[in-house]
Amino acid sequence: MKQTEIVIEGKDVSIGYRQGKQEQTIHSRLNFQLRQGELTCLLGANGAGKSTLLRTLAAAQPALSGHLHLLGKPLSEYSERERSRTIGVVLTDKTQAGGLTVYELVALGRQPHTGFFGRLRQEDKELVHHALHAVGIAHKAQCYTAELSDGERQKVMIAKALVQECPLILLDEPTAFLDVVSRIEIMTLLHRLASEEKKAILLSTHDIEQALVLSDRLWLLTREEGLQCGVTEDLILHNRMDSLFPHEDIRFDLMHGIYSPTVKGEKRIYLKAENETLRHWTENALNRNGYLCMPQTEEKAFPALEIHSPYDIKYTDVNHITCQFQSFEELLKEIACR
């Protein structure tokens, strides 16, 4: 991985809330970096402090202690106008600008450069058009925002952040209300924009599956272990994902990159499958029905299952009686009676 510019860096940062002389610290001594050209996903359970961390990075609330630098300058020394030119923020809340066209709403992102009543210059208009094309929503430029789907509206808000020309973009649950296709589109879009537009993009999300596929780095935030940062595959293969949701009944599946219930089957069965895809989905069905799958051996202490295709399933019980099934429905109906 090529060395890239550090856009924002935190050293020994404590985050939380201050009321008068009273402080409520949520996390302390956090250390992190966000780099140009990288998409980073912030993962954590509800209540772990993700939104507090994002608000701190956006300067919406101050850090309680530590050093937080944006482009080498202390974040606390930025004026509000400077921050609006440097940090783009996209929140989960649905925009209430339904009476504006897509073009008009995106153009509002130029306010930090033109002022509230500023007129768009030719270069501003070109930036708006570029942003609309970059997020794939240019064909809706003259549509009213109220006419858009949730996924399209989210693309518009990302375009609005792009025209601010900020090196740092922070997004709080940008896919929270989207269907699966829109979630994949938005995550793919953000990864592409980070790379092509040379932005440092940080987003909080519960869409772990897409985060593991598309994020260059992960930030794992937990009450117990604070913030763990690293390249996605390093954290996965060092078993750090198991610390994200410390629950004895939930495990992280390294092979498939998902969280699932811990299998507590009281019955055992030998399983032989033609390929890994068949093995995975056969185990899924058996685990759901109270079976633990064992590797095939010469012993016959347990029933055995051989699967060559979804239409060719052979079940042999401990008495060596064999049954053939042509679907999982037939198989599960049979083993439910045993």
Side-chain angles (χ1 to χ4, degrees), residues 10-35:
K11 294 182 178 179
D12 293 330
V13 173
S14 294
I15 62 172
Y17 301 92
R18 183 183 289 117
Q19 288 186 329
K21 296 182 178 180
Q22 299 295 317
E23 287 187 358
Q24 179 186 355
T25 301
I26 294 178
H27 288 285
S28 58
R29 303 185 68 82
L30 302 182
N31 294 283
F32 50 82
Q33 295 176 341
L34 289 175
R35 293 180 174 275

Side-chain angles (χ1 to χ4, degrees), residues 199-220:
K199 308 292 186 184
I201 299 181
L202 174 67
L203 66 100
S204 67
T205 182
H206 287 293
D207 192 355
I208 294 174
E209 183 178 354
Q210 295 307 317
L212 299 188
V213 172
L214 291 166
S215 59
D216 299 298
R217 295 178 185 270
L218 296 177
W219 285 10
L220 308 181

Side-chain angles (χ1 to χ4, degrees), residues 145-157:
T145 307
E147 300 171 345
L148 304 182
S149 68
D150 288 344
E152 290 170 334
R153 194 177 291 113
Q154 199 63 284
K155 290 179 181 179
V156 172
M157 298 311 294

Side-chain angles (χ1 to χ4, degrees), residues 37-294:
E38 293 183 350
L39 173 65
T40 301
C41 284
L42 171 60
L43 307 179
N46 289 333
K50 301 187 300 297
S51 294
T52 303
L53 178 55
L54 283 174
R55 286 195 295 268
T56 303
L57 296 179
Q61 64 186 69
L64 300 182
S65 63
H67 305 281
L68 193 54
H69 285 76
L70 177 61
L71 298 175
K73 175 181 173 180
L75 182 58
S76 58
E77 294 182 8
Y78 279 74
S79 67
E80 184 175 348
R81 184 176 178 82
E82 288 174 327
R83 289 199 304 270
S84 67
R85 292 183 173 188
T86 313
I87 307 172
V89 180
V90 179
L91 301 176
T92 309
D93 303 336
K94 293 183 180 180
T95 176
Q96 302 300 314
L100 296 177
T101 66
V102 167
Y103 182 90
E104 290 168 340
L105 180 55
V106 173
L108 289 178
R110 293 303 297 163
Q111 283 184 2
H113 302 272
T114 65
F116 188 80
F117 296 104
R119 297 176 60 85
L120 294 180
R121 300 162 296 179
Q122 184 58 36
E123 62 190 76
D124 296 315
K125 295 177 181 178
E126 289 174 0
L127 283 169
V128 172
H129 286 295
H130 171 77
L132 290 169
H133 282 282
V135 303
I137 203 74
H139 62 292
K140 297 277 189 174
Q142 298 310 314
C143 294
Y144 287 105
T145 307
E147 300 171 345
L148 304 182
S149 68
D150 288 344
E152 290 170 334
R153 194 177 291 113
Q154 199 63 284
K155 290 179 181 179
V156 172
M157 298 311 294
I158 293 169
K160 180 173 177 287
L162 277 179
V163 301
Q164 289 180 240
E165 293 188 291
C166 299
L168 174 63
I169 298 178
L170 306 173
L171 303 100
D172 187 10
E173 292 284 351
T175 62
F177 304 111
L178 306 184
D179 60 38
V180 64
V181 172
S182 297
R183 291 202 305 270
I184 293 172
E185 285 181 346
I186 293 296
M187 293 289 285
T188 303
L189 167 64
L190 291 172
H191 183 267
R192 177 171 60 81
L193 292 176
S195 177
E196 294 180 359
E197 304 286 337
K198 304 303 179 187
K199 308 292 186 184
I201 299 181
L202 174 67
L203 66 100
S204 67
T205 182
H206 287 293
D207 192 355
I208 294 174
E209 183 178 354
Q210 295 307 317
L212 299 188
V213 172
L214 291 166
S215 59
D216 299 298
R217 295 178 185 270
L218 296 177
W219 285 10
L220 308 181
L221 188 64
T222 63
R223 290 280 191 173
E224 296 77 16
E225 301 195 31
L227 185 65
Q228 303 174 76
C229 306
V231 169
T232 300
E233 289 71 23
D234 281 334
L235 291 179
I236 292 171
L237 295 174
H238 284 85
N239 297 311
R240 304 317 303 158
M241 298 301 295
D242 280 323
S243 68
L244 195 58
F245 302 103
H247 194 294
E248 63 178 13
D249 292 330
I250 298 174
R251 66 181 180 88
F252 180 74
D253 185 337
L254 269 175
M255 180 65 71
H256 302 99
I258 59 173
Y259 286 92
S260 59
T262 302
V263 178
K264 293 184 177 181
E266 297 179 354
K267 295 172 280 190
R268 304 288 190 273
I269 190 168
Y270 294 124
L271 175 60
K272 182 179 180 181
E274 191 75 17
N275 55 54
E276 283 302 315
T277 300
L278 284 172
R279 171 173 288 279
H280 171 69
W281 290 109
T282 304
E283 284 188 354
N284 187 69
L286 292 169
N287 292 163
R288 192 172 66 245
N289 286 273
Y291 280 86
L292 285 176
C293 298
M294 316 293 290

